[in-house]
Amino acid sequence: SSPRLTAVFLSLLPAQCCVALFIGLLFTRFWLLSALYAAWWLTDREAPSRGGRRSQLLRNSIVWRYMRDYFPVTLVKTAELDPRQNYLMGFHPHGVLAVGAFLNFCTEASGFSTLFPGITPHLMMLSLWFRVPFFRDYLMAGGLVSSDKESASHVLQRPGGGNLLTIIVGGAQEALDARPGSYTLLLKNRKGFVRVAIENGTPLVPTFSFGENDLFEQVSNPKGSWLRRLQHRLQQVMGVSLPLFHARGIFQYSFGLMPYRRPIYTVVGKPIPVQKKYKPSEEEVDRVHQKYLEELCKLFEEHKAKYNVPEDSHLEFI
């Protein structure tokens, strides 16, 4: 399992390495490389909102297959996706690092293109990360795009269909509730993705990733505690949450920052048809949102027994 451990470890480092490389070059005789990159970066700054720039070479890298096998991660198809249409997928839960979302939709490790031929996946990520030099290009190569309305519309309005836009609806805030055995989703009042789907007439695809919350333990941070208030404040200021997580080490199993080797099953539900309307009313958004919640619950209940979820466990929306 050494190559698998190495793959997971390396996948956690790119952002820090890219920043270090960009700054480090400025203090060497190769400073011009960073200067030229900065100039090009300014001219290319809209790319993450224009569908990105994917690389099949990166998406098919053997590193992702090692990473898949470490947990392992499995993508489960329950319905066909018509390549003549575009789709908006809601992914749940966020987990600590959204491992299932990344491996299934930003790489070919779990065989996305084989399961859903003719469909090109995109995954939304906080715009903040696309400001990191070099790292932004790495993200776009996997099919990641920035998480803003312009970016969503660019993908969903592409003529000819065949595009899937995945949104991790609970976002960074939901990561603060990610711990083994938790099925709490930050979804009750998250309706922006539904509005986007209606405005574009795009079917909604509910998806639940069983095991996503089981990869890390998290320091106790109940609502109202000083830690939770601090994390919430930092999330408001920085745009990213900072869960205090831990799991196993690289060479020992008692403590460390490596995720546990626990299986992830990402189950893709059937599309929910959505009637297009340029300016939907609150009532129309609420109606589609309620339908989405019902379908997501149904998906969870139908599959939980297969993936060792206790019978008395149910989704909780907050």
Side-chain angles (χ1 to χ4, degrees):
S1 72
S2 179
R4 298 169 186 169
L5 274 170
T6 303
V8 175
F9 181 70
L10 290 176
S11 71
L12 303 177
L13 296 179
Q16 297 93 321
C17 292
C18 289
V19 172
L21 176 63
F22 181 78
I23 296 175
L25 285 173
L26 292 173
F27 296 94
T28 71
R29 60 179 178 174
F30 301 108
W31 63 269
L32 187 59
L33 291 177
S34 284
L36 290 173
Y37 180 86
W40 176 78
W41 184 8
L42 286 174
T43 64
D44 191 57
R45 61 185 179 276
E46 300 298 326
S49 297
R50 303 283 175 81
R53 205 168 31 244
R54 70 182 51 237
S55 163
Q56 289 304 120
L57 183 64
L58 179 69
R59 287 177 57 87
N60 285 291
S61 171
I62 193 173
V63 172
W64 310 130
R65 296 198 290 276
Y66 281 129
M67 189 175 174
R68 173 202 63 196
D69 294 340
Y70 172 84
F71 296 101
V73 176
T74 305
L75 183 61
V76 181
K77 172 183 175 180
T78 66
E80 296 291 339
L81 296 184
D82 186 347
R84 293 171 297 180
Q85 281 192 298
N86 294 322
Y87 297 90
L88 195 159
M89 172 186 285
F91 181 93
H92 316 272
H94 183 286
V96 171
L97 296 177
V99 170
F102 175 77
L103 279 177
N104 287 311
F105 307 117
C106 298
T107 82
E108 287 296 331
S110 55
F112 180 90
S113 294
T114 301
L115 284 173
F116 300 101
I119 302 293
T120 301
H122 306 264
L123 177 64
M124 296 196 99
M125 191 175 192
L126 281 174
S127 302
L128 166 72
W129 295 111
F130 292 96
R131 298 171 190 164
V132 180
F134 302 124
F135 187 56
R136 67 190 294 275
D137 303 283
Y138 167 76
L139 295 176
M140 288 192 289
L144 285 143
V145 295
S146 61
S147 57
D148 54 64
K149 194 171 183 179
E150 176 191 357
S151 180
S153 296
H154 184 87
V155 173
L156 298 178
Q157 291 177 6
R158 282 182 171 175
N163 292 281
L164 174 73
L165 179 66
T166 301
I167 300 177
I168 306 177
V169 182
Q173 191 175 341
E174 189 177 81
L176 299 177
D177 288 310
R179 47 178 47 86
S182 173
Y183 302 103
T184 300
L185 303 181
L186 187 62
L187 187 56
K188 183 184 289 185
N189 296 311
R190 296 251 166 151
K191 303 176 183 178
F193 74 106
V194 173
R195 184 177 294 278
V196 169
I198 296 174
E199 290 174 350
N200 290 280
T202 309
L204 283 162
V205 182
T207 298
F208 193 87
S209 196
F210 292 89
E212 195 75 43
N213 281 343
D214 298 337
L215 306 185
F216 297 94
E217 303 287 349
Q218 191 169 166
V219 173
S220 180
N221 60 342
K223 289 181 173 61
S225 66
W226 69 268
L227 177 57
R228 187 58 167 256
R229 289 196 299 269
L230 176 61
Q231 289 174 320
H232 184 61
R233 180 60 180 161
L234 289 173
Q235 192 262 325
Q236 289 179 318
V237 173
M238 301 169 59
V240 295
S241 64
L242 296 172
L244 297 180
F245 61 89
H246 60 90
R248 55 162 289 183
I250 298 178
F251 302 111
Q252 45 76 32
Y253 298 92
S254 56
F255 187 83
L257 297 180
M258 289 291 294
Y260 293 124
R261 296 191 68 178
R262 294 173 179 169
I264 298 173
Y265 297 93
T266 302
V267 183
V268 178
K270 65 179 181 181
I272 302 169
V274 173
Q275 186 69 38
K276 184 175 182 177
K277 189 167 186 181
Y278 179 60
K279 289 186 177 181
S281 65
E282 290 298 326
E283 292 75 16
E284 289 170 320
V285 172
D286 288 344
R287 185 166 59 250
V288 176
H289 182 259
Q290 184 58 40
K291 175 66 173 175
Y292 182 87
L293 295 184
E294 292 170 0
E295 289 297 321
L296 182 60
C297 282
K298 183 179 177 183
L299 182 72
F300 179 82
E301 296 295 332
E302 286 180 350
H303 293 273
K304 68 181 184 181
K306 302 176 191 175
Y307 307 122
N308 301 315
V309 176
E311 182 61 33
D312 60 351
S313 293
H314 308 284
L315 292 183
E316 178 187 359
F317 301 123
I318 59 173

